[in-house]
Amino acid sequence: MVANVGGVRVGIVHGDGEALAGWRFSTAALDDPGQHAWLDRVHMQSGIDVFASSHTCLPATRTFALPSGPLVVANNGSAGMPNFAGASYGIVTRIATRPRRGPILHCVELNGVYIEAVALHFDHAHWHQEFLSQWPPGSAAWLSYWKRIVNGPDYVRAQAYPRREWDCVQPLRSPEAR
């Protein structure tokens, strides 16, 4: 799906810029300089300025100054599970022409459009109960996800959002601080 936000073309995908189940928007792939030619080709062919993805279960936002122009990839990781070690929230990507008034995890600005990672807090205890009612201990899903649901993955914020030149310069403050 393609959306226009403040004149910026946003490609909303599950996977990557070519495949529904693609992994080229994972942290490892985005940090691989060998992928820049592929990113440039997908950027040029699609005309997309920002890809918003949700496939890899671990968040990553990266900016690229490609020969075809600037590109942002914002992968929220997972809205329904913890994304960082010791965390108990999911993450959603917010893309808007104005910065969020509440707290954010990370922000990139491209041509007056703010691409923000926002924590999605949910009732952790209720989620545990719901998960266990569907997938009891020992089931395939329990073996795959329970440790992450309880403790978060072995992944930290700096891996998802390394400081880059396009990061929003001024830290956004919560409405209470204004």
Side-chain angles (χ1 to χ4, degrees):
M1 180 173 163
V2 177
N4 183 314
V5 179
V8 170
R9 285 177 47 92
V10 179
I12 303 164
V13 299
H14 180 277
D16 61 39
E18 286 186 329
L20 179 65
W23 285 87
R24 286 180 151 170
F25 289 164
S26 71
T27 301
L30 291 172
D31 290 345
D32 178 359
Q35 294 294 315
H36 290 187
W38 175 81
L39 285 166
D40 190 48
R41 182 175 55 78
V42 168
H43 179 244
M44 192 170 16
Q45 289 175 346
S46 68
I48 297 296
D49 302 306
V50 177
F51 277 105
S53 176
S54 63
H55 175 59
T56 64
C57 292
L58 293 176
T61 297
R62 299 292 187 272
T63 57
F64 300 93
L66 301 170
S68 58
L71 175 69
V72 177
V73 176
N75 181 345
N76 76 303
S78 176
M81 288 195 292
N83 286 271
F84 302 120
S88 61
Y89 53 84
I91 296 174
V92 294
T93 301
R94 177 183 184 273
I95 302 173
T97 57
R98 293 186 192 143
R100 184 172 192 269
R101 290 181 172 237
I104 60 168
L105 300 170
H106 184 74
C107 177
V108 172
E109 185 269 330
L110 176 64
N111 298 332
V113 172
Y114 297 86
I115 302 100
E116 301 165 329
V118 180
L120 178 63
H121 297 279
F122 51 86
D123 184 339
H124 224 16
H126 181 74
W127 170 225
H128 289 184
Q129 290 174 342
E130 285 294 317
F131 182 87
L132 292 172
S133 75
Q134 300 289 322
W135 299 286
S139 66
W142 184 88
L143 291 170
S144 294
Y145 295 112
W146 183 247
K147 183 179 175 188
R148 176 178 175 164
I149 289 170
V150 173
N151 301 314
D154 184 20
Y155 193 71
V156 297
R157 229 166 114 173
Q159 290 171 279
Y161 314 119
R163 295 292 302 162
R164 299 280 198 248
E165 65 276 5
W166 295 358
D167 289 355
C168 297
V169 177
Q170 297 297 321
L172 303 177
R173 300 183 338 224
S174 65
E176 301 80 42
R178 289 179 193 255

